[in-house]
Amino acid sequence: MNANKSWIIKTWLILGLIPIIHGCQNLDNSDRMNVTELKCESLINPLGVDVSEPGLSWILESDEKDQFQTAYRILVASSEDKLADDMGDVWDSEKIDAGQSNQIRFEGKKLTSGKDYYWKVKAWDKDDIESDWSEVAMWSTGMLSQSDWKAEWIGLDKAVGDDKTDTEFRQLSARYLRQEFKIEKPVQRATAFICGLGAYELYLNGDKVGDHMLSPGLTDYSKRSLYVTYDVTGNIDQIDNAIGIILGNGRYFAPRIKDPFPTVDYGFPKLLLQINLEYEDGSTDVVISDENWKLTPDGPIIANNEYDGETYDALKEMPGWNRVGFNDSDWMDVEMVESPSKELSPQMTEPIRITETIEPIKITEPQPGVYIFDMGQNMVGWTELTVKGKAGTVVKQRFAESLQDDGLLYLDNIRSAKVTNEYTLKGEGIERFVPRFVFHGFRYVELTGFPGKPDLSTIVGMVIHDDLEKTGDFTCSNPMLNAIYKNAVWGIRGNYRSIPADCPQRDERHGWLGDRGTGSRGESYIYDISNLYKKWLTDVFDSQKPNGSISDVNPAYWEMYNDNVTWDGTPVILVDMLRDQYGDTKVISDSYPFLKKWVDHMINSYLKDDIMPRDSYGDWCMPPKDPKVIHAKDPDLLTDGNLIGTAYFYHILTLMEDFAGFTDKHEEAKYYSELASRMKIAYNKKFLDTTRIEYSNNTATASILSLAFGLVPDEYRQKIFDNLLYKTKIENNSHISTGLIGQQFFNRMLSETGEDDLAFTVNTQEDYPGYGYMINNGATTIWELWNGNTADPAMNSQNHVMLLGDLLIWMYENLAGIKSDPEQPGFKNIIMNPALVSQLSYVKAWHKSRYGMIKSEWEIKGNQFEWKVTIPTNSTATVYVPGVKEPKHVGSGTYTFSSEIDIKIN
């Protein structure tokens, strides 16, 4: 309880008043527990699954309170007809007595490549009453063996025409490929498997297949490439068919090979395509990429580059190029090219899609013919341009996050990226241009060369990102905190680009490990990030060196193997997050060998006298006193890197002890435990001044890490916490007093000792440094730097998420009081424990867990506290009502709790 608050609590209504329930013991079919939202590998009806024992999950719904599953039965069949007859010819689990409904491993017959599997579930409730069968779900298998691939890699491994491969600003036109084929009997099913590097668009008979953008996902292409599976049965014509494919550069053909750091280049774009045909008579055939295909680099996409933009000449369009009968006699024969990767895997993550469109709110003309569109929101994606004019007219768009004082684009922080889309008109009425293989981070669009005078309908913004399921929302009575939350969400979604990227606008856009460590837990409340982050872990392990070293950037397009604990230890933290938030224990087993390899490398290479002196970046982005510099230089603000490295590595060892125990490697668990114990002794011996009771030079981060990781001896814990309070409240006048490292635990450390009011004050400050300062200076996303409007433009992205630290975790777990119980992870049991602050009269939040919808809505009116909570079926909760000593253990249902309190809302 906060010592600074005077709580006089008169609990006049006992826990659990007014449970909102329906039902009775004699249930008819309509009142039974229902099985819904079936998922395979955390995806709805996924195609191309290559897991031999895929994980199956479902959500249970019931109007009756305290309801849970006691048993389940799964049927998997080779056809919908067999499943309709309750025939599980692939797997009938029979009735299994278990409460688990998340990640049940398939245990049926051996799966076959390229096949559809249909499944359904029924469950038994707490009274052993049987549910109806669920709706039917499905998954299809991908290529389970390399021998299943009949297709060959094709492309053009050379520069032609105006291509520029050895210059600073590399340029390569898109490659257009085509092939025709015939169908001579009725098709029952057609499935396409495609890997087009760096990015592709697939057409069948003139129509684009799927709605994916910038596909496939980014990888370390020397190790792994991803293929995508499509059901194209409806795209196939009975006799004559044509395939068309456009290959863009993506990150395969590197946008830069020199600046700002050497970038890995994997070569020229290439294609692997196979269409499996199943006929109604039971026979099969394949259509494949091979030497018979045609290719041209002379299409309308003259250049495409994720940093520099896309150049499109509509005069070079080739009507009908992707349809039957097109004359491709002047096209080139394709080249047979080498396979790019050791592994070819299915893309088991949600694709990038257009998720929203935004209309501009304002146009200005700061110079004659230079029009600036304000989208009203810093976004990631591109625009659709509508234009009418003479053939050969060139219209250009440039993109930026902010403006100069003269109203023109501010481009200094974009660094070398040209961020320019260029369109040459064909002069045939109204024309529309939408790029394919680029994306921009922007709020403002500069339009030049436009014929006539544009209006607000001239462009429309298209928001793109990995189309992850929205799983949470938060709102409260404070407008500033709501605005900060909104900015955070826009920044998070915009930086999902098949990896959790650092920024979307400049010549970088990489997966920096340190940016997403603890912060990923906050993201998990807003989006289902489970598959995205498991995919990113694969990227990390693919880029891992044989000696165990991990790159700071993954995929390792910049090869930065610094053996830096706080960045490279992030995979350990991500595995812990995936277990806690999603109940995923398989990720522990899958990741453990790679994590162990890194930990052993660090121990054997660097640990000395039980101190880990490996820290490359310090307390990154500690707010400086000088508003023009990027990093603080004052010695009293800088935390000792040896302290940071040792504290972090100690924390990592405690997690590794847990993982080793889980995987039954008990000797290894013992080793990590004993080493951690020795490190704790060495840490306090080296960094704790027992006279002044301070760690190192007594920075807030030194105190936070020592407290958060349990390194402080019990007798000194209160004094170290007092040091943190003094640094924050007195020396920094209740402002941010840490960099990225300390910020990952800052809010929760304050809340742990009841200083929620202080955490709220710090997070809503409207002057420098503060999130409110960003908003008051026009931010609609989160900046990279606290002084992002005044600092050196070399590093002042206006769309980063690393400075969020544990803010979102604090908002959901503390303010809203929704937290997964680590003893029953994945929200199987929920810890509901809201923190009341004097600045808030209400908080409303929801989070959709693997078990269903969790809600927390509390409000203070006068001296009355009212709290409505919802617990999903098959979950339980431990509920702490403010002022009540003992928690209440409840089952599923909706409850209202009330108490009378004495608190003044500011």
Side-chain angles (χ1 to χ4, degrees), residues 645-830:
T646 304
Y648 244 82
F649 201 72
Y650 169 83
H651 176 54
I652 286 165
L653 288 177
T654 62
L655 293 176
M656 289 297 292
E657 176 191 354
D658 188 12
F659 298 163
F662 177 82
T663 53
D664 293 326
K665 297 176 175 61
H666 300 295
E667 287 300 315
E668 293 175 12
K670 180 180 178 183
Y671 168 71
Y672 292 134
S673 175
E674 291 175 348
L675 178 55
S677 296
R678 296 201 309 270
M679 287 191 71
K680 182 174 182 177
I681 294 170
Y683 180 87
N684 283 296
K685 182 178 179 181
K686 183 174 180 64
F687 301 113
L688 176 60
D689 185 329
T690 55
T691 301
R692 296 182 298 177
I693 319 299
E694 297 174 352
Y695 280 95
S696 190
N697 60 339
N698 197 31
T699 63
T701 293
S703 296
I704 288 170
L705 296 185
S706 303
L707 290 163
F709 298 153
L711 286 159
V712 183
D714 290 343
E715 64 268 30
Y716 300 137
R717 190 167 179 85
Q718 184 58 52
K719 178 60 171 66
I720 299 302
F721 183 77
D722 290 342
N723 293 344
L724 171 60
L725 291 185
Y726 183 84
K727 282 287 180 181
T728 304
K729 295 176 71 171
I730 306 304
E731 288 194 7
N732 289 276
N733 193 26
S734 297
H735 284 68
I736 294 293
S737 53
T738 72
L740 180 154
I741 299 302
Q743 194 65 22
Q744 295 184 69
F745 310 94
F746 172 77
N747 293 292
R748 287 172 293 171
M749 282 303 96
L750 291 181
S751 284
E752 187 175 295
T753 319
E755 287 289 344
D756 298 288
D757 271 6
L758 177 58
F760 180 93
T761 299
V762 170
N763 287 310
T764 54
Q765 291 287 12
E766 297 189 34
D767 57 345
Y768 174 82
Y771 301 113
Y773 173 77
M774 299 180 190
I775 288 173
N776 288 341
N777 282 275
T780 57
T781 45
I782 303 296
W783 293 347
E784 182 178 17
L785 302 173
W786 297 105
N787 55 341
N789 61 327
T790 58
D792 188 306
M795 201 186 93
N796 63 355
S797 156
Q798 294 184 15
N799 193 348
H800 256 65
V801 299
M802 66 182 187
L803 290 185
L804 287 170
D806 68 347
L807 176 61
L808 294 175
I809 305 173
W810 180 75
M811 293 169 78
Y812 277 92
E813 294 185 358
N814 294 85
L815 292 184
I818 300 173
K819 182 180 180 181
S820 180
D821 184 348
E823 299 300 319
Q824 299 182 59
F827 296 90
K828 183 65 170 144
N829 186 63
I830 309 155

Side-chain angles (χ1 to χ4, degrees), residues 454-721:
D455 58 29
L456 289 176
S457 66
T458 299
I459 66 170
V460 176
M462 296 182 171
V463 178
I464 69 159
H465 55 83
D466 294 335
D467 192 11
L468 308 183
E469 180 184 1
K470 183 78 179 294
T471 58
D473 199 12
F474 175 96
T475 188
C476 67
S477 59
N478 183 270
M480 178 57 73
L481 194 60
N482 290 337
I484 294 167
Y485 178 83
K486 178 185 175 183
N487 284 12
V489 173
W490 271 97
I492 288 167
R493 69 193 287 215
N495 281 296
Y496 288 149
R497 193 266 184 258
S498 76
I499 60 172
D502 66 325
C503 62
Q505 75 294 94
R506 66 189 182 208
D507 54 0
E508 191 166 351
R509 313 183 194 194
H510 287 304
W512 283 94
L513 286 175
D515 291 21
R516 298 295 183 121
T518 300
S520 65
R521 189 176 296 260
E523 296 170 40
S524 73
Y525 282 102
I526 304 171
Y527 292 103
D528 184 346
I529 61 172
S530 57
N531 282 1
L532 174 65
Y533 272 84
K534 284 191 287 186
K535 182 266 181 188
W536 196 35
L537 282 171
T538 300
D539 296 331
V540 173
F541 301 145
D542 280 347
S543 296
Q544 188 172 20
K545 287 189 172 182
N547 68 358
S549 184
I550 286 174
S551 175
D552 297 352
V553 173
N554 291 275
Y557 301 141
W558 288 350
E559 295 181 320
M560 306 185 75
Y561 292 88
N562 295 319
D563 290 338
N564 171 42
V565 171
T566 49
W567 262 241
D568 304 344
T570 291
V572 183
I573 295 169
L574 295 181
V575 170
D576 186 49
M577 178 275 293
L578 290 168
R579 174 186 54 183
D580 285 355
Q581 301 301 96
Y582 298 101
D584 188 342
T585 54
K586 187 174 183 293
V587 71
I588 300 176
S589 303
D590 292 344
S591 303
Y592 182 81
F594 302 98
L595 302 179
K596 181 181 185 301
K597 191 175 182 180
W598 174 74
V599 169
D600 290 350
H601 164 67
M602 297 299 292
I603 293 170
N604 296 331
S605 301
Y606 303 112
L607 192 68
K608 184 176 181 181
D609 299 327
D610 295 326
I611 296 295
M612 179 54 73
R614 295 301 298 176
D615 174 72
S616 301
Y617 305 114
D619 194 14
W620 188 248
C621 291
M622 174 72 187
K625 296 177 182 177
D626 185 343
K628 295 183 180 180
V629 303
I630 294 174
H631 298 294
K633 302 182 184 301
D634 309 89
D636 60 321
L637 300 179
L638 304 181
T639 304
D640 184 351
N642 291 331
L643 180 148
I644 293 174
T646 304
Y648 244 82
F649 201 72
Y650 169 83
H651 176 54
I652 286 165
L653 288 177
T654 62
L655 293 176
M656 289 297 292
E657 176 191 354
D658 188 12
F659 298 163
F662 177 82
T663 53
D664 293 326
K665 297 176 175 61
H666 300 295
E667 287 300 315
E668 293 175 12
K670 180 180 178 183
Y671 168 71
Y672 292 134
S673 175
E674 291 175 348
L675 178 55
S677 296
R678 296 201 309 270
M679 287 191 71
K680 182 174 182 177
I681 294 170
Y683 180 87
N684 283 296
K685 182 178 179 181
K686 183 174 180 64
F687 301 113
L688 176 60
D689 185 329
T690 55
T691 301
R692 296 182 298 177
I693 319 299
E694 297 174 352
Y695 280 95
S696 190
N697 60 339
N698 197 31
T699 63
T701 293
S703 296
I704 288 170
L705 296 185
S706 303
L707 290 163
F709 298 153
L711 286 159
V712 183
D714 290 343
E715 64 268 30
Y716 300 137
R717 190 167 179 85
Q718 184 58 52
K719 178 60 171 66
I720 299 302
F721 183 77

